[in-house]
Amino acid sequence: MTRSGRGDIASNVLRSALLALLALLLAVPLATAGTLDRAGVERHFPAPLVVGERDTTLPVWPILKQEAGSYEVFAYAFESIDLAPIPGFGGTPPDLLVALAPDGTFRDVKVISHHEPVFLEGLGSEPLFAFVEQYVGLSARRPIRVGRPNARGSGAAPQTTVDGISMATASTRVINESILAASLAVARAKLGFGAANLGLKVEARPDTGEALTVAELTARGWLRRLTVTNAGAEAAFRDAGVAGAGDGPAEAPLVYLTFAYLNVPAIGRALLGAERFAALTREFGPGDHAVLVVSHGPENPLGDEFVLGSIPDRLTVTQGGLAVNARDMAIERRGAAPGLPDGPWTILRITGAAGFDPSAPWTLSAKIVRERGQIFPEKIAREFSADYALPAELFIREAAEAGPSWTDPWRARGVELGVITLALAGLVPVLARQRGLVADRRRFPVFRLAYLAFTLLFIGWYAQAQLSIVTLVGLVRAATVTHDLTFLLYDPPSLLLWAFVIATLVVWGRGTFCGWLCPFGALQEFVAWLAKPLRIRPVAVPPRLDRALRQVKYVLLAGILIAAATGSPLADSLSEAEPFKTAITLYFVRAWPFVAYALGLLVLNLFVYKGFCRYLCPLGASLAVLGRLRLLDWIPRRAECGSPCQLCKVRCRYGAIRPDGRIDYPECFQCMDCVTIIHDPGQCVPEVLAHRRGKRIVPQPVAAE
């Protein structure tokens, strides 16, 4: 049979399955929208909370709470899939119900649905539920990162880090990005932050040595005043029926504040002095800002009961209509600059997580409170404000990391990527140079065992880079839902291996992965070594039964892909035919039926060498089909191979050499045993005979059927 016409039962089965799959792809799209109606949302936010009317422009439900006889917004509730449908590792986006408070903090996060393979019948959903609970109390303003397990207990910032889940790194990063991306979309529309300064880091320029006085700062507008006169206060409270003014003339100041942004060296040094300004900057955290406020009037917004280090009740910094968290720095209060009026003062710290942009206009507001009534007095408040702005040339604006992204795991796993890259680079020349290490029957087996140990221990159990049919399921689901393949980027080691495997498929076929880079395959090879000391004799599967069993993996592959295309959960169930999740990803820590299945396959391997790989592996089936596109029939053969010599066929434990001596590349696992034999004058029977006759023969690759 010619190379162009070599179709067998497997390819015919798969061709029919793919035609059915294409029809289903066009006919059965998967749902990508949120699933909760009002009743569903009310179940998550029961009384005394009230679910308001859904927004007409954004899929957001206001959650209301009664305060002082009126309803105020307690949170905005939304489903992440409506606003950030980021495909998970199962190919479809997770759906999370998020409740975001008006100040940008998370009231609640719950999992509505997901298709993350590691949690489906693996770790179970409980670790995922516990993972999302960590967001409660955190702020959407902050670039929240997924750390290693127990990262916060090991010293990571609890305001910007959530503990990751071992064995679920890629899935947790996708979920983290889904939560924050959806929350930022709501924050921009409803809360007024996250738009103007998104993705920018703004810092004051380094000290230029300019020396300014208080008068010069005032003249430039870098030192501002907020003044409320008795007449102004009285007018503001007139509608409330209470006296708002203090004692003294109408034009006398009641509230008189002087304030300035201190991070700019020329301002901070002028108001605090060089020594104290330097001490202040040493207390700053990354991205922190400081605002000086001095009170000179008879009514001090700080209040007589103000506690150092607290957030002032009557002073507020706002930007873009949103209050910014500003807390007193609790530092020494003496030694203000000459020319600055005396009075109580505070330095308010605004942390980098608040999203404050000092190069954009902002406002300082002071609240005046009065009481009405005697028995049960009612507090009446009015706010007065003054704007503040500095020239843009005083600041450096540059791109900053705006929340989580798929680049995070690439940076975090750089060492693993480097080690795997070096290992792959070392494997290629070994397999390509057939007269090098491969031809050495003493050293090559040692190299192969060492490489398989690396594959099992490092690629599999440490780097968690076991390739799986789950990725193909994800690709099919992404094709039917989001047309977005970024979920692949969240698992860098696996993506690196996929790229290498696809490249070698074109050159050599399936065997490079199945024979060298599959951790479960490596585990089977090590278990097979126990057969000899246990005196277990391999079972010879009859040829007709062997050929029939080899088709099972193609039927299983077709079933998985069709189920994935139709959105059926059967795809996840059928994917459990792979024991990879149990044996490699979860280290056999799983429900007993899955452990029994994985161990059973390893026991089967003692009797039928790599029986799972040969008969059941759907990933191997997909690689075998794609491997038919390879460019080379690269394994050398001789005219004598198959007739009369059958040595390679007898030694091939995979059954990948036909009786006529040709290589069955879709079933070849690239163990290289036959290559070693054919280049070894002491093993290759035709060469041994030729040597006895004083002749020399050269092996040549022979086209496969």
Side-chain angles (χ1 to χ4, degrees):
M1 184 180 293
T2 63
R3 172 79 181 268
S4 60
R6 63 164 104 143
D8 56 10
I9 298 176
S11 60
N12 290 333
V13 169
L14 193 69
R15 187 180 300 113
S16 300
L18 289 177
L19 289 174
L21 178 62
L22 288 175
L24 289 167
L25 287 177
L26 297 174
V28 191
L30 293 177
T32 61
T35 59
L36 296 179
D37 55 11
R38 175 185 287 277
V41 176
E42 287 175 342
R43 284 194 293 271
H44 292 281
F45 301 98
L49 297 175
V50 176
V51 178
E53 293 298 325
R54 192 182 193 209
D55 193 279
T56 57
T57 59
L58 202 66
V60 175
W61 299 85
I63 309 300
L64 308 176
K65 184 177 182 181
Q66 192 170 20
E67 293 284 351
S70 62
Y71 285 98
E72 296 184 356
V73 175
F74 174 76
Y76 291 100
F78 50 91
E79 293 180 68
S80 63
I81 198 170
D82 285 328
L83 300 163
I86 300 172
F89 216 64
T92 55
D95 189 15
L96 304 120
L97 178 63
V98 181
L100 195 65
D103 65 354
T105 59
F106 292 101
R107 297 282 195 193
D108 200 3
V109 180
K110 295 182 183 298
V111 178
I112 302 299
S113 65
H114 72 92
H115 290 275
E116 295 308 293
V118 71
F119 297 114
L120 293 173
E121 300 296 340
L123 295 172
S125 294
E126 287 74 16
L128 177 58
F129 298 157
F131 172 77
V132 300
E133 286 176 0
Q134 298 178 87
Y135 288 84
V136 177
L138 301 185
S139 175
R141 301 170 182 272
R142 304 169 185 265
I144 299 173
R145 311 288 181 185
V146 178
R148 294 186 178 276
N150 197 34
R152 296 202 284 189
S154 303
Q159 298 85 7
T160 58
T161 306
V162 290
D163 293 339
I165 301 175
S166 179
M167 301 169 284
T169 303
S171 293
T172 52
R173 291 185 187 277
V174 169
I175 289 168
N176 181 57
E177 179 136 4
S178 299
I179 293 172
L180 289 192
S183 299
L184 285 176
V186 173
R188 294 185 196 112
K190 294 294 183 183
L191 308 184
F193 72 85
N197 194 33
L198 185 65
L200 289 177
K201 180 173 67 175
V202 185
E203 294 180 340
R205 289 191 180 275
D207 191 2
T208 60
E210 184 179 18
L212 299 173
T213 64
V214 170
E216 289 171 328
L217 291 176
T218 304
R220 295 188 182 190
W222 298 0
L223 184 68
R224 296 295 310 275
R225 301 273 197 304
L226 168 56
T227 304
V228 182
T229 64
N230 284 322
E234 186 68 29
F237 283 95
R238 186 170 296 132
D239 62 338
V242 295
D247 298 331
E251 298 305 316
L254 176 65
V255 173
Y256 183 28
L257 304 178
T258 298
F259 63 101
Y261 177 75
L262 292 178
N263 290 52
V264 175
I267 300 174
R269 191 174 54 251
L271 296 178
L272 301 180
E275 184 177 344
R276 296 196 62 220
F277 175 69
L280 176 72
T281 56
R282 286 194 294 269
E283 293 191 32
F284 284 166
D288 283 1
H289 309 275
V291 173
L292 171 70
V293 181
V294 185
S295 177
H296 323 296
E299 182 147 339
N300 176 20
L302 292 176
D304 297 331
E305 298 179 358
F306 174 70
V307 178
L308 298 182
S310 66
I311 298 175
D313 291 334
R314 301 186 182 183
L315 284 179
T316 306
V317 175
T318 59
Q319 188 171 58
L322 187 71
V324 177
N325 191 352
R327 182 181 296 274
D328 177 77
M329 289 190 69
I331 63 172
E332 191 178 12
R333 306 297 166 122
R334 60 180 177 83
L340 195 64
D342 292 332
W345 56 287
T346 179
I347 294 180
L348 301 175
R349 183 205 299 265
I350 302 171
T351 66
F356 181 69
D357 180 358
S359 67
W362 54 273
T363 301
L364 179 71
S365 299
K367 184 185 296 183
I368 299 176
V369 180
R370 296 289 184 261
E371 291 186 354
R372 180 171 59 188
Q374 296 181 351
I375 300 177
F376 298 105
E378 177 187 2
K379 290 187 175 181
I380 309 295
R382 296 291 184 266
E383 284 195 355
F384 303 85
S385 60
D387 295 333
Y388 189 91
L390 291 173
E393 58 266 21
L394 294 179
F395 299 94
I396 299 173
R397 297 167 61 90
E398 58 185 23
E401 297 176 10
S405 101
W406 60 263
T407 60
D408 291 346
W410 288 83
R411 287 191 296 268
R413 308 189 73 177
V415 174
E416 298 166 34
L417 292 170
V419 172
I420 294 175
T421 299
L422 290 175
L424 298 179
L427 179 62
V428 170
V430 170
L431 300 181
R433 295 183 68 250
Q434 295 186 5
R435 292 188 176 273
L437 182 61
V438 174
D440 191 324
R441 62 176 173 176
R442 295 183 182 87
R443 292 190 300 150
F444 181 68
V446 175
F447 170 80
R448 177 165 170 76
L449 285 178
Y451 205 95
L452 290 176
F454 167 80
T455 295
L456 174 62
L457 299 175
F458 189 87
I459 293 180
W461 282 334
Y462 180 78
Q464 292 284 289
Q466 168 76 65
L467 302 190
S468 169
I469 191 63
V470 168
T471 304
L472 298 186
V473 170
L475 291 174
V476 172
R477 285 174 170 164
T480 60
V481 179
T482 63
H483 308 289
D484 185 354
L485 302 180
T486 54
F487 72 94
L488 297 172
L489 299 174
Y490 287 89
D491 190 1
S494 294
L495 186 58
L496 173 62
L497 284 175
W498 272 114
F500 181 82
V501 168
I502 291 172
T504 55
L505 272 176
V506 176
V507 179
W508 291 319
R510 162 194 185 181
T512 308
F513 170 74
C514 295
W516 292 88
L517 298 172
C518 177
F520 187 75
L523 178 60
Q524 289 181 95
E525 295 213 27
F526 285 117
V527 170
W529 277 71
L530 298 175
K532 183 176 289 187
L534 293 176
R535 298 184 179 180
I536 297 175
R537 298 185 62 180
V539 175
V541 181
R544 292 186 65 180
L545 178 60
D546 178 74
R547 287 193 296 273
L549 289 176
R550 288 179 190 267
Q551 311 314 313
V552 173
K553 60 181 179 286
Y554 296 102
V555 175
L556 183 58
L557 171 65
I560 291 172
L561 295 182
I562 291 173
T566 59
S568 170
L570 189 61
D572 300 313
S573 300
L574 291 176
S575 296
E576 290 293 346
E578 287 184 339
F580 304 162
K581 187 192 303 181
T582 301
I584 304 301
T585 306
L586 301 177
Y587 312 108
F588 291 99
V589 181
R590 203 178 180 192
W592 73 263
F594 298 100
V595 175
Y597 173 68
L599 293 176
L601 291 175
L602 294 176
V603 172
L604 172 66
N605 178 64
L606 293 172
F607 298 91
V608 180
Y609 186 67
K610 284 201 169 182
F612 166 76
C613 303
R614 293 158 62 182
Y615 303 140
L616 292 175
C617 182
L619 177 62
S622 65
L623 297 179
V625 173
L626 295 174
R628 293 179 179 276
L629 301 175
R630 75 185 185 285
L631 302 176
L632 304 176
D633 291 318
W634 58 278
I635 296 179
R637 301 277 82 197
R638 302 184 191 278
E640 296 85 354
C641 291
S643 179
C645 183
Q646 292 281 318
L647 178 62
C648 290
K649 179 182 181 301
V650 172
R651 295 264 187 99
C652 181
R653 292 183 290 177
Y654 302 97
I657 300 180
R658 301 180 186 274
D660 62 1
R662 296 174 182 268
I663 303 298
D664 186 358
Y665 283 94
E667 300 297 331
C668 175
F669 283 63
Q670 206 168 334
C671 68
M672 309 297 281
D673 285 350
C674 62
V675 180
T676 302
I677 291 172
I678 207 166
H679 288 300
D680 185 352
Q683 290 191 83
C684 180
V685 175
E687 190 158 335
V688 170
L689 297 175
H691 179 73
R692 290 176 181 175
R693 299 168 185 160
K695 297 181 180 180
R696 182 174 181 274
I697 56 177
V698 179
Q700 298 291 336
V702 176
E705 291 185 350

